[in-house]
Every structure is written in structure tokens, then in C-alpha cells.
Amino acid sequence: PEAGPLWGTDVYTHDSALAAAAVHAGVLMAGERGLVRVTWVDTVNVAFVGSERNGARSASYGPWPSGFRVERASSGR
């Protein structure tokens, strides 16, 4: 699994490790490199729920002012 702190599921706290979030979200496999799209999300009053997915574990966290979603980026070709 990718190293680094990870809080949330589908939406991650802005200080979560991007590589870990990409694996957790199923966008990349552990150790894989690739282009991803990060979308910043206003998360005031949203609680982040931890889970285990794709060999990566995220932790729960309470309200946090901002976060992000990660998805596969289109190649543009």
C-alpha cells in the first residue's frame, strides 16, 4: 500500500497523501504512476469516514475545512 496519511473515503482531507488517496479510490494501483485529476471540495461541516479499499486504509476524521476527490484524468487524445 502507498504510504502517507489518509483521512476519508471518496472525499479526502486536503492534507491526505495524494498517492494513497489514488490507490484507495481505485484510480491507480499501488506502485503505479499515472495522471490523475484532483478536484478541491469545500468540506465545512463534513465528517470524513475511514474505510479500507484496494489495499489502502483511511482513517476517520471530524469536520475539516477543505478536501479533494481524485479520479483518473483523461488522456486528452
Side-chain angles (χ1 to χ4, degrees):
E2 296 300 319
L6 185 61
W7 296 279
T9 297
D10 297 324
V11 175
Y12 304 94
T13 61
H14 78 266
D15 56 345
S16 290
L18 180 57
V23 170
H24 188 267
V27 174
L28 296 175
M29 295 184 352
E32 181 183 12
R33 293 176 182 253
L35 188 61
V36 299
R37 177 184 311 275
V38 175
T39 304
W40 292 104
V41 179
D42 180 4
T43 58
V44 174
N45 299 319
V46 171
F48 294 86
V49 178
S51 64
E52 185 168 347
R53 289 177 168 172
N54 306 309
R57 180 177 298 218
S58 67
S60 295
Y61 204 87
W64 194 252
S66 64
F68 65 89
R69 293 182 188 274
V70 60
E71 60 191 350
R72 191 169 306 276
S74 62
S75 64
R77 296 180 191 180

